[in-house]
Amino acid sequence: MTVYAIIGGTGLTQLEGLTIHEALPLDTPYGAPSADILRGSYAGREVLFLARHGQPHRIPPHQVNYRANLWALKQAGAKAIVAVNAVGGIHAAMGTGHFCVPHQIIDYTSGRAHTFYEGDLEHVTHVDFSQPYDRQLREGLVAALRAENAAFSDHGIYGCTQGPRLETAAEIARMERDGCDLVGMTGMPEAVLARELALPYACLALVVNPAAGKSSALITMAEIERVIEQGMGTVKAVLARVLSN
């Protein structure tokens, strides 16, 4: 049976309904993960849960130890990963409260430890990253969103920026020219590290604000938190459907 791991981002530092059997304070060759890996049951299935930004929410996107997080999940027995991400909307279809299951990603980050294949290697390894997200997992998320009657897009290009600051309007305009539909700060190197560990990986993105320059209103954390609170019910229902299927 596939053991799913859920990586919770901003707004999902805890998974309501998760019956915790044990907390695993794992160590890895890359240091400690963001928080203990929680092993439990959710929607009748064994599941692993990790709060990407720590518990409490304290680790900014550029300082998340992505290598330790992915290594620890693999070590704990994960066979597939669903990542939940709060993002900004660039494309007109990606309005506040909209969900997206992205199919592609562009990496604008810098200075992040982004591979396991470095140091004293016996040989150079390249992984195929043409399709960064697992097709079967994406289809499961799309089916679950459809069953929940959620407003969603079944594809999109996620642009990952460095953070922790939000982007300038000019940067968003450039990303839009590049084809990005969404902007976030945690999609990379998480996705490619999962690929290097041969872990199927997909993203469930919730649009929590218009990207810079896409609205005349000021982007505030209070508004972002309000949208997250409204959207988390759907996130949890979608996760339950994916797990139970």
Side-chain angles (χ1 to χ4, degrees), residues 5-186:
I6 297 167
I7 300 178
T10 300
L12 193 64
T13 55
Q14 300 180 69
L15 185 58
E16 184 180 337
L18 172 67
T19 301
I20 300 172
H21 302 315
E22 61 179 329
L24 304 173
L26 299 176
D27 196 14
T28 79
Y30 306 96
S34 297
D36 289 350
I37 307 294
L38 302 181
R39 184 194 302 278
S41 56
Y42 187 74
R45 291 286 297 273
E46 180 182 358
V47 68
L48 301 169
F49 179 78
L50 173 63
R52 182 188 289 117
H53 297 282
Q55 180 59 278
H57 186 284
R58 59 184 174 80
I59 306 171
H62 67 296
Q63 291 186 322
V64 171
N65 191 337
Y66 295 96
R67 291 195 297 184
N69 285 354
L70 273 295
W71 191 275
L73 287 171
K74 176 92 170 183
Q75 186 179 337
K79 301 299 183 185
I81 296 175
V82 175
V84 180
N85 299 76
V87 299
I90 298 176
H91 191 281
M94 305 295 172
T96 300
H98 194 79
F99 286 91
C100 183
V101 182
H103 71 293
Q104 280 293 336
I105 194 164
I106 299 177
D107 189 3
Y108 298 94
T109 67
S110 62
R112 299 185 182 189
H114 64 281
T115 182
F116 295 112
Y117 296 120
E118 63 181 12
D120 188 16
L121 301 175
E122 294 183 3
H123 58 84
V124 175
T125 300
H126 303 283
V127 296
D128 184 354
F129 203 50
S130 303
Q131 305 300 325
Y133 300 109
D134 181 76
R135 178 185 58 81
Q136 188 172 351
L137 271 181
R138 289 188 65 254
E139 289 175 354
L141 287 168
V142 167
L145 284 162
R146 186 172 290 120
E148 289 296 319
N149 294 313
F152 76 97
S153 296
D154 61 7
H155 67 281
I157 299 176
Y158 180 132
C160 187
T161 59
Q162 180 71 354
R165 67 167 177 86
L166 298 177
E167 300 73 31
T168 68
E171 287 168 333
I172 292 299
R174 181 189 71 162
M175 294 175 71
E176 187 169 27
R177 290 192 297 272
D178 287 348
C180 294
D181 302 298
L182 308 163
V183 57
M185 300 176 188
T186 55

